[in-house]
């Protein structure tokens, strides 16, 4: 598998400043894993309608998907991955829970790429952004499953149970597809799926960064007790020095920035960029070296938050410590000549732009900090500023209540949803928007996996996996067996 690059972006609006910062970097992990997907996986193409909900609109595009049928005995289920906001090869390469268990289930394996991402790009895509939506993507997946199973394998989802697997946004899609298309999806493993975050149903917008902060404590993340106060004080010093032209010049040199800081808005953007790096390290807090969050070019160290905190406690100059802490991610290759704090570049830049559109329209997720219960600074959630930034960037203003109207939030999970496992890592800040309750009578289970980071349970097994992750995978496989037998 060749290297692919992608990014997940979170929209931050504060003091009329709008910043896109990378939270997830995607990569090819093949060289970092003892295990990997089997050989012989087939790349296929499927013709999709650009608009499934307008019968006068007949434009189409080619959607890419991958199929592996060597394990299938015509009696086993379908293991299906609805692609996230990146090339589908990323998920083919990393979803070890599927590959390590498909043979024992005699499963047919299908990975489908999300419209507008990877190679599933409609013609003239910028002019067709109106068709980039959660609803259109789920319709793509449902049509593809129905038609491919019939045409290639002479079966149907009614006769051959389809189990959806997904992590992060893919986990949201897996859960929502079970809700919207129960005739297609028999059950779902929704890992690190913050389905309540855009819904806002009881979610505290400050929790994301509180969890990042908890990861930097000795009690939760095994980090130095000095880490949290030192990070908080480093940001205070950053803003203090950033008030003057001389201070900004000194900061530009100290942080080795490719583009010098010119204004206080630049200082805020730099701070948000640093904050994004630390948040990513929190998500990537795996107990083994891993390149999943390092864009495939190098390995992040084991327990990277502890490593970042070591810089914050061993360096007398807190700003240098902050630079080096964020550099655990941003200088993972150890060859950065300067830091491009203004944003990403390369193939992942388009993916980031497209994901930003989804966040501006349907997945409008609030984030804030208060600088007291977290290690950052006061950043109240500002919907008006976010919508204005979305309008300037994409020409659209999102509908914050749409996710609740469309999917129903807590009420739908309790009353309508069935056959879903929602798993969340204790160390993963995205659990702030995840489901934290079970509905046993509807076969809905919520797991909080101790010492686990972002959808770690979906990844290939590793000798350093904590027992909690191993136990979670065993539970998920047990649930799949129950769903398949029904």
């Amino acid at each position: 598998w060749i290297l692919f690059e992608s990014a997940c972006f979170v929209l931050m609006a504060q003091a009329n400043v709008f910043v896109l910062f990378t939270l997830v970097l995607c990569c090819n992990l093949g060289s970092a894993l003892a295990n990997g997907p089997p050989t012989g996986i087939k790349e296929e193409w499927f013709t999709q309608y650009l608009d499934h909900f307008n019968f006068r609109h007949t434009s189409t595009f080619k959607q890419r998907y991958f199929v592996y049928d060597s394990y299938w005995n015509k009696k086993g289920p379908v293991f299906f991955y609805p692609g996230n906001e990146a090339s589908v090869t990323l998920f083919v390469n990393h979803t070890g829970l599927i590959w390590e268990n498909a043979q024992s289930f005699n499963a047919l394996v299908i990975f489908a790429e999300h419209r507008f991402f990877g190679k599933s790009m409609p013609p003239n895509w910028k002019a067709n952004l109106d068709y980039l939506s959660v609803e259109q993507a789920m319709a793509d997946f449902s049509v593809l499953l129905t038609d491919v199973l019939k045409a290639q394998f002479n079966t149907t989802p009614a006769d051959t149970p389809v189990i959806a697997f997904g992590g992060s946004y893919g986990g949201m899609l897996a859960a929502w597809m079970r809700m919207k298309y129960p005739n297609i999806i028999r059950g779902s493993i929704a890992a690190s799926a913050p389905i309540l975050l855009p819904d806002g149903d009881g979610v505290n917008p400050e929790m994301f960064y509180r969890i990042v902060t908890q990861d930097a404590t000795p009690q939760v993340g095994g980090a130095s007790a000095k880490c949290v106060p030192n990070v908080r004080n480093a940001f205070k010093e950053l803003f203090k020095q950033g008030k003057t032209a001389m201070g900004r010049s000194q900061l530009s040199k100290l942080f080795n920035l490719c583009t010098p800081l010119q204004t206080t808005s630049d200082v805020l953007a730099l701070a948000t960029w640093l904050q994004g790096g630390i948040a990513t390290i929190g998500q990537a807090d795996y107990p083994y070296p891993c390149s999943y969050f390092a864009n495939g070019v190098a390995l992040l160290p084991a327990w990277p938050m502890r490593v970042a905190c070591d810089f914050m406690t061993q360096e007398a100059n807190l700003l240098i410590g902050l630079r080096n802490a964020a550099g655990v991610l941003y200088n993972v290759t150890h060859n950065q000549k300067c830091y491009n704090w203004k944003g990403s570049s390369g193939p992942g830049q388009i993916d980031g732009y497209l994901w930003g559109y989804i966040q501006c329209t349907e997945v409008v997720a609030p984030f804030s900090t208060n600088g007291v219960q977290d290690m950052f600074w006061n950043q109240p959630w500002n919907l008006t500023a976010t919508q204005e930034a979305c309008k300037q960037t994409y020409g659209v203003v999102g509908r914050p209540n749409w996710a609740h109207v469309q999917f129903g939030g807590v009420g739908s999970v309790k009353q309508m949803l069935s056959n879903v496992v929602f798993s969340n890592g204790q160390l993963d800040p995205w659990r702030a928007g995840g489901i934290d309750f079970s509905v046993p009578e509807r076969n809905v289970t919520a797991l909080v996996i101790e010492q686990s980071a972002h959808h770690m349970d979906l990844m290939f097994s590793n000798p350093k996996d904590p027992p909690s992750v191993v136990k979670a995978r065993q539970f998920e496989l047990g649930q799949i067996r129950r769903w398949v037998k029904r």
Side-chain angles (χ1 to χ4, degrees), residues 133-157:
S133 71
V134 173
E135 292 81 8
Q136 297 282 6
M138 292 195 302
D140 287 341
F141 297 140
S142 299
V143 170
L144 182 147
L145 282 167
T146 301
D147 288 9
V148 167
L149 290 181
K150 184 65 175 177
Q152 294 188 30
F153 302 101
N154 194 31
T155 188
T156 68

Side-chain angles (χ1 to χ4, degrees), residues 318-389:
L318 293 183
L319 291 177
I320 294 177
L322 183 60
R323 178 197 68 192
N324 293 341
V328 171
L329 174 73
Y330 292 139
N331 193 22
V332 66
T333 58
H334 303 290
N335 63 3
Q336 286 293 319
K337 295 181 180 179
C338 61
Y339 286 118
N340 178 21
W341 57 275
K342 284 197 168 185
S344 64
S345 59
Q349 190 173 30
I350 294 177
D351 287 347
Y353 177 85
L354 294 166
W355 176 239
Y357 178 83
I358 295 174
Q359 288 199 298
C360 273
T361 52
E362 295 188 284
V363 188
V364 182
F367 294 89
S368 64
T369 58
N370 61 25
V372 177
Q373 293 162 299
D374 55 70
M375 58 184 174
F376 301 102
W377 64 96
N378 188 37
Q379 303 170 91
W381 166 241
N382 189 331
L383 176 60
T384 301
T386 299
Q387 289 180 324
E388 180 59 32

Side-chain angles (χ1 to χ4, degrees), residues 282-303:
Q283 293 178 73
D285 213 13
Y286 302 118
Y288 43 76
C290 179
S291 69
Y292 186 79
F293 285 82
N295 207 25
V297 297
L299 292 173
L300 278 174
W303 300 117

Side-chain angles (χ1 to χ4, degrees), residues 65-282:
Y65 65 101
F66 288 86
V67 176
Y68 189 75
D69 59 5
S70 295
Y71 299 144
W72 195 52
N73 64 354
K74 301 182 189 280
K75 297 179 181 179
V78 176
F79 282 1
F80 173 67
Y81 194 107
N84 301 30
E85 68 287 11
S87 166
V88 70
T89 54
L90 169 71
F91 313 110
V92 173
N93 279 336
H94 294 88
T95 312
L97 187 65
I98 287 180
W99 294 120
E100 291 179 345
N101 297 285
Q103 186 170 12
S104 65
F105 279 85
N106 301 119
L108 171 65
V109 178
I110 300 176
F111 285 77
E113 194 159 65
H114 194 296
R115 57 168 52 203
F116 285 78
F117 292 94
K119 294 185 178 180
S120 300
M121 184 69 76
N124 196 18
W125 62 270
K126 273 198 172 183
N128 285 311
L129 278 180
D130 289 348
Y131 305 107
L132 174 56
S133 71
V134 173
E135 292 81 8
Q136 297 282 6
M138 292 195 302
D140 287 341
F141 297 140
S142 299
V143 170
L144 182 147
L145 282 167
T146 301
D147 288 9
V148 167
L149 290 181
K150 184 65 175 177
Q152 294 188 30
F153 302 101
N154 194 31
T155 188
T156 68
D159 297 322
T160 301
V162 178
I163 306 300
F165 298 73
S168 200
Y169 174 50
M172 298 166 78
L173 292 170
W176 284 336
M177 285 192 70
R178 171 60 186 166
M179 184 184 295
K180 290 293 185 178
Y181 295 93
N183 56 316
I184 305 292
I185 303 298
R186 180 73 63 88
S188 297
I189 305 298
S192 298
I195 64 169
L196 297 182
L197 202 59
D199 178 83
D201 197 351
V203 175
N204 184 341
E206 294 181 355
M207 281 307 300
F208 182 94
Y209 284 104
R210 288 187 191 179
I211 295 171
V212 174
T213 301
Q214 292 168 11
D215 294 347
T217 65
Q219 295 85 356
V220 176
S224 168
K226 296 181 180 179
C227 186
V228 169
N230 283 1
V231 171
R232 188 182 292 123
N233 288 331
F235 278 112
K236 290 179 180 178
E237 182 63 24
L238 176 70
F239 288 119
K240 179 181 177 182
Q241 291 195 26
K243 291 180 180 179
T244 67
M246 180 178 293
R248 291 190 290 272
S249 176
Q250 292 173 344
L251 288 173
S252 299
K253 294 176 182 177
L254 187 146
F255 280 92
N256 195 24
L257 303 180
C258 302
T259 305
L261 303 171
Q262 300 294 335
T263 66
T264 54
S265 293
D266 287 349
V267 176
L268 177 58
L270 171 64
T272 307
W273 179 79
L274 294 166
Q275 181 187 36
I278 293 171
T280 302
I281 291 168

